[in-house]
Amino acid sequence: MMQCFHWPRPDLNELGSGCHVHLSLWKNDQNVFMGSNKYNYHGMSNTGERFLAGVYHHLPSILAFTAPHPHSYDRIQPNTFTGAYLCWGKENREAPLRTSCPPGVPPDFVSNFEIRSFDGCANPHLGLAAIVNAGIDGLRRGLKLPPPTELNPADCASHERLPHDLLGSVEALAADKIFHELMGDKLVTSVIAMRKAEIEHYAKNPGAVHHLIHRY
């Protein structure tokens, strides 16, 4: 199978190349992510809030799937519109999780959310599976979101930095018992082993990344 490959950040003097994902939730041909007159948490329904809260809660672990290469973290940096801090916001492109109000949606509501910490090195099937499973955990446990971030999170000392490197994401995934349960211990263990092998390989062969950039 051929896969479209975009290197996360081939030139550190330029912004990187992402593979952002937009998701909404549907039931009986109705968007159940969007809020209503009965429940409206910053434009989201109760279902939408709980699903997004699950993604928020597991985001450091999700990065092991959506930013799977050691050089993915050259792209996920502050002030690069990639989402380097653990937060969410409505139409905030510096947040890794952005709720969206596209044309045609009433301004008090949002129709979907975007995850920005996703790049072309990721297996799209595993990346989406990780996001959906995190959302399912949010639904199961009734998780809640913190208040949205309206400003650049880099200017807010209260925001936690997402993992600076792949090892940090792998460690988060290894400690995430929910992911082991929902995605299967065998799959998660295999992903962790593969990520650690790539970390070791590129640490020993720093020039290998340039050969990949040239090839693709």
Side-chain angles (χ1 to χ4, degrees), residues 77-81 83-87 92-96 149-161:
Q77 296 292 326
N79 304 308
T80 58
F81 307 112
Y85 292 85
L86 182 57
C87 62
N92 186 342
R93 285 176 167 76
E94 281 293 345
T149 298
E150 299 180 356
L151 303 175
N152 184 344
D155 297 330
C156 305
S158 60
H159 288 304
E160 175 187 348
R161 183 76 160 80

Side-chain angles (χ1 to χ4, degrees), residues 52-65:
L52 185 57
V55 178
Y56 171 91
H57 180 79
H58 292 285
L59 189 54
S61 303
I62 291 172
L63 290 183
F65 296 92

Side-chain angles (χ1 to χ4, degrees), residues 98-215:
R98 176 181 73 96
T99 57
S100 178
C101 180
V105 175
D108 292 335
F109 299 101
V110 293
S111 64
N112 63 279
F113 75 93
E114 175 190 34
I115 180 166
R116 304 177 68 79
S117 304
F118 201 123
D119 66 48
C121 291
N123 179 310
H125 309 289
L126 291 180
L128 289 172
I131 296 166
V132 170
N133 277 284
I136 289 172
D137 182 51
L139 293 173
R140 291 196 314 178
R141 294 198 286 154
L143 298 179
K144 295 291 186 181
L145 285 167
T149 298
E150 299 180 356
L151 303 175
N152 184 344
D155 297 330
C156 305
S158 60
H159 288 304
E160 175 187 348
R161 183 76 160 80
L162 284 169
H164 292 259
D165 53 28
L166 181 56
L167 180 59
S169 299
V170 168
E171 290 174 343
L173 178 61
D176 196 323
K177 296 180 180 179
I178 298 295
F179 262 43
H180 284 262
E181 173 197 344
L182 291 177
M183 298 195 71
D185 186 65
K186 185 177 291 187
L187 172 62
V188 172
T189 301
S190 297
V191 168
I192 290 171
M194 291 174 63
R195 300 294 182 262
K196 287 184 175 180
E198 289 202 324
I199 292 169
E200 182 178 359
H201 172 74
Y202 285 98
K204 291 180 178 179
N205 303 279
V209 63
H210 300 293
H211 294 298
L212 279 177
I213 293 173
H214 177 73
R215 180 177 181 181

